[in-house]
Amino acid sequence: MQPASRQNSNASEGVYVDVESLIAKRHTAGDINIFKPQLSRSMLLGDVRSRFRGRGMELEEVRKYLPGDDIRSIDWRVSARLGSTHTKLFAEERERPVHIVVDQRVNMFFGSSHLFKSAMAAEMAAIISWAALAGSDRIGGQVLGDHDQSFIRAKRTRQAVMHLLREIARFNNALPADEPGVDAVSLTDALQECKRVVRPGTAVFVLSDFADFDDAAAKCLGSIGRHTDVSLLRVTDPIEDELAMTGRVGVSDGKDTQTVVINDDIRERYLQSRAELT
């Protein structure tokens, strides 16, 4: 599918997004609960009752001390008995910082119907942002491009959401970028930066096709997940999952158009590689 030009395209065409269309997603976000009923580790007070881990009146559990835990909650008796530092976790009203990682690299600039993956990820990020703001949570994020990243510090304000949406739209409208090359930003790079900036108790949402997900990315994700609640939202296209076509097919990167021939052997090898990815 070849995208229309930026001048003639709009959010409804599914190729590019604009800030106005992302703002409009606040109406969709009103009926969405982005959090599962699970525990977290945020130490910040908030107005919304949720099952977060922090200081309070009701003891939840005792576990090993982790960097960032409140030293006032250390259980000295258990620590002395087990020979290592342990801390108490209590149930209380907490806010939850939200950090949204949005992939807007050239691998996302593809679509066969309705929406490009890049546009879908942008709209999903907007919905999560508005839903988090409606829940009185702090919203920040990270927009991933082929050669750089943009970071938005988490704040509980409409301005923080608008900052994130403007950055998403800016990266989205820069697509298709030049070939990534040797200085390309990988998913692992993005996750390492995410690990550096997020605090314990943060709800992390990663929106990507995970095309370059590898062992290094998996290891980094595992490290992030020890202290945060991570949700991975994989954005795919039906053609990518099935390649339900054979013969001569036209493809475009937004600049050049070529014709490729897909036969049964190529399709089988492609589906096998997709199975290994997932």
Side-chain angles (χ1 to χ4, degrees):
M1 177 179 179
Q2 184 173 358
S5 66
R6 288 169 178 75
Q7 291 77 12
N8 298 325
S9 67
N10 54 48
S12 65
E13 293 176 323
V15 178
Y16 295 103
V17 300
D18 52 44
V19 176
E20 289 73 19
S21 67
L22 298 181
I23 292 174
K25 293 301 176 183
R26 70 184 186 277
H27 302 298
T28 304
D31 298 326
I32 293 177
N33 181 4
I34 62 174
F35 296 129
K36 297 178 292 185
Q38 60 185 20
L39 298 176
S40 183
R41 304 181 183 87
S42 176
M43 306 304 291
L44 300 174
L45 291 173
D47 299 325
V48 180
R49 177 69 181 180
S50 54
R51 297 279 293 170
F52 284 20
R53 288 178 175 173
R55 290 182 56 83
M57 298 302 295
E58 181 181 353
L59 178 65
E60 289 283 353
E61 65 171 295
V62 176
R63 61 148 169 80
K64 283 190 175 182
Y65 177 85
L66 296 174
D69 287 343
D70 192 336
I71 61 173
R72 294 174 297 175
S73 297
I74 293 177
D75 190 322
W76 297 107
R77 291 184 179 179
V78 174
S79 300
R81 185 172 70 252
L82 298 180
S84 59
T85 305
H86 281 64
T87 187
K88 300 175 184 178
L89 300 181
F90 300 88
E92 192 181 342
E93 295 178 356
R94 300 296 179 192
E95 75 167 3
R96 176 181 300 215
V98 174
H99 184 86
I100 307 170
V101 181
V102 191
D103 191 347
Q104 292 291 298
R105 295 176 296 167
V106 72
N107 52 284
M108 296 286 287
F109 195 66
F110 176 82
S112 60
S113 61
H114 303 300
L115 290 175
F116 273 33
K117 294 188 296 181
S118 49
M120 173 63 76
E123 293 187 1
M124 293 168 64
I127 292 172
I128 294 171
S129 299
W130 290 119
L133 184 64
S136 299
D137 294 305
R138 291 189 296 134
I139 302 95
Q142 185 179 344
V143 187
L144 174 59
D146 285 296
H147 298 285
D148 61 344
Q149 304 178 55
S150 178
F151 294 91
I152 296 86
R153 185 182 298 275
K155 296 180 181 179
R156 192 171 59 249
T157 63
R158 180 184 173 89
Q159 288 73 21
V161 174
M162 292 300 301
H163 187 187
L164 177 59
L165 300 187
R166 284 193 294 269
E167 287 299 281
I168 292 173
R170 181 172 71 87
F171 275 74
N172 178 268
N173 281 267
L175 291 168
D178 296 330
E179 288 298 318
V182 295
D183 61 339
V185 176
S186 68
L187 182 61
T188 300
D189 295 332
L191 293 175
Q192 288 174 342
E193 287 299 308
C194 176
K195 176 183 175 182
R196 184 181 66 83
V197 300
V198 299
R199 302 185 64 180
T202 300
V204 178
F205 295 85
V206 184
L207 291 79
S208 175
D209 61 0
F210 298 94
D212 57 341
F213 188 80
D214 54 17
D215 291 341
K219 182 177 180 181
C220 192
L221 259 181
S223 180
I224 295 172
R226 293 191 188 100
H227 310 295
T228 67
D229 296 318
V230 181
S231 298
L232 305 181
L233 305 178
R234 184 168 175 242
V235 184
T236 64
D237 185 89
I239 284 184
E240 288 183 312
D241 290 333
E242 302 173 6
L243 199 63
M245 58 182 65
T246 56
R248 299 175 66 86
V249 178
V251 296
S252 173
D253 63 358
K255 297 179 180 179
D256 302 313
T257 301
Q258 295 184 354
T259 300
V260 297
V261 177
I262 301 177
N263 55 35
D264 291 339
D265 180 60
I266 291 176
R267 182 172 182 271
E268 183 63 30
R269 283 186 289 167
Y270 173 83
L271 294 177
Q272 182 177 353
S273 67
R274 291 286 294 180
E276 293 173 354
L277 175 64
T278 57

